[in-house]
Amino acid sequence: MRIAVTAALTDETITPIGLAQELEERGFHGLYVPEHTHIPVERATPFPYADERGEVARWYGRLIDPFVALSQAAAVTSRLHLGIGVLLLAQHDPIVVAKQAASLDHVSGGRFTLGVGYGWNREEAADHGVAWSSRRELVLDRMRLMRALWADEPTEYKGVFGSVSASFAHPKPVRGGAPRTMLGGAAGPKLFSHIVEYGDGWLPLNGSGLRETLPVLRTAWEDAGRDPAALQVVPYAVTPTPERMDTFAELGIEEVVMLMPAEEGDGMLRALDGFARYLD
């Protein structure tokens, strides 16, 4: 089983370069980093991962831009896979993201994974002009536009939320069509329909409930005529235990992304020491 980690890299943690080099040297498969542009101080949105005081973790407002962090990591590694877990695509210009994603995939030699998500912070989204109730449809529209830019030939796209004329847009994703694209979010018909349309698979948070939800996704995938062997399900931000990892293996999971603590100094490296037991 391939073992990757997700780390909240900030201005107070180990650098992207330092962590990426440590991961590659220790034999880890990949590094995923989260994204938030900012966290408004005044908010009404309940924080879904609150500490005992109900407060947003400090690191949420201090994250390094994921494309910048992963570009640094790509430059000092040759095998480590690099992913965003997840990009809040509704909050971005899709033409710019298409260029950033294809460029990072190109300079890393095809090691990039674009994780796409919908977010939890209404105030953050509102500052970007996003209507909360339509954010899923907005993300779908933006992915369709981006895939038009990634197409081999200049391709026009006219969508509900955005359009692009047939354009020259290079570099292209290394594998053609799109970089590896994984969706985050809670299980449900809408999420699964979007995975089936444009994704390579799912990033289920902590991998909870997969015995019940994985068969549903597999059925939707196969009903759409997609190759059953191509579906990738990668439990994300997992706090590992031997029992949980055994369950993932039984379900045919081939990659797991473990959650690193957002700590200063050597805290992240100590976490890697603990994860090492799960490396093949």
Side-chain angles (χ1 to χ4, degrees):
M1 186 178 294
R2 301 186 300 273
I3 304 299
V5 304
T6 179
L9 294 175
T10 77
D11 56 334
E12 297 178 330
T13 65
I14 189 174
T15 65
I17 288 175
L19 181 56
Q21 290 175 324
E22 288 283 349
L23 288 168
E24 184 158 276
E25 290 173 5
R26 293 167 183 244
F28 284 88
H29 174 72
L31 167 64
Y32 290 73
V33 296
E35 188 238 2
H36 282 280
T37 55
H38 66 298
I39 299 295
V41 174
E42 295 186 7
R43 60 185 177 82
T45 307
F47 180 47
Y49 318 113
D51 61 19
E52 62 275 6
R53 297 172 295 174
E55 296 181 358
V56 177
R58 175 182 173 86
W59 60 262
Y60 272 85
R62 308 187 73 95
L63 291 170
I64 298 172
D65 178 88
F67 286 107
V68 172
L70 294 179
S71 294
Q72 281 202 315
V76 296
T77 58
S78 60
R79 300 181 306 277
L80 192 70
H81 288 252
L82 308 162
I84 302 177
V86 290
L87 187 78
L88 304 178
L89 183 56
Q91 300 178 181
H92 295 274
D93 181 329
I95 297 175
V96 174
V97 173
K99 173 68 75 172
Q100 291 173 311
S103 297
L104 181 51
D105 197 48
H106 172 73
V107 300
S108 68
R111 291 184 282 145
F112 176 59
T113 293
L114 176 62
V116 174
Y118 307 102
W120 59 266
N121 193 310
R122 291 173 182 254
E123 290 73 36
E124 178 186 4
D127 283 349
H128 286 280
V130 175
W132 190 252
S133 61
S134 62
R135 72 194 190 285
R136 290 178 180 269
E137 289 72 22
L138 176 58
V139 168
L140 177 62
D141 192 71
R142 288 186 169 171
M143 280 302 310
R144 289 170 174 167
L145 187 155
M146 289 162 58
R147 291 175 72 88
L149 288 167
W150 292 330
D152 289 337
E153 299 296 330
T155 302
E156 180 185 40
Y157 176 76
K158 293 184 177 180
V160 175
F161 297 95
S163 301
V164 67
S165 58
S167 304
F168 299 109
H170 292 265
K172 301 296 185 185
V174 170
R175 68 175 189 174
R180 183 186 188 223
T181 304
M182 304 289 289
L183 276 70
K190 182 172 286 189
L191 176 71
F192 288 173
S193 71
H194 291 186
I195 291 173
V196 165
E197 176 174 334
Y198 67 81
D200 293 290
W202 182 28
L203 297 172
L205 189 64
N206 205 25
S208 301
L210 283 180
R211 289 193 185 278
E212 295 74 33
T213 57
L214 187 51
V216 178
L217 175 56
R218 284 174 171 159
T219 297
W221 184 271
E222 294 177 26
D223 286 349
R226 299 199 61 177
D227 179 3
L231 176 62
Q232 301 174 50
V233 176
V234 180
Y236 190 81
V238 170
T239 300
T241 65
E243 295 76 18
R244 177 167 290 172
M245 298 299 288
D246 287 345
T247 297
F248 293 154
E250 291 171 14
L251 293 172
I253 300 299
E254 297 180 349
E255 180 181 353
V256 173
V257 181
M258 297 182 176
L259 177 63
M260 296 185 67
E263 296 184 12
E264 301 176 30
D266 295 332
M268 287 185 171
L269 300 185
R270 288 194 296 271
L272 293 184
D273 293 337
F275 293 159
R277 64 184 294 189
Y278 300 106
L279 295 175
D280 292 336

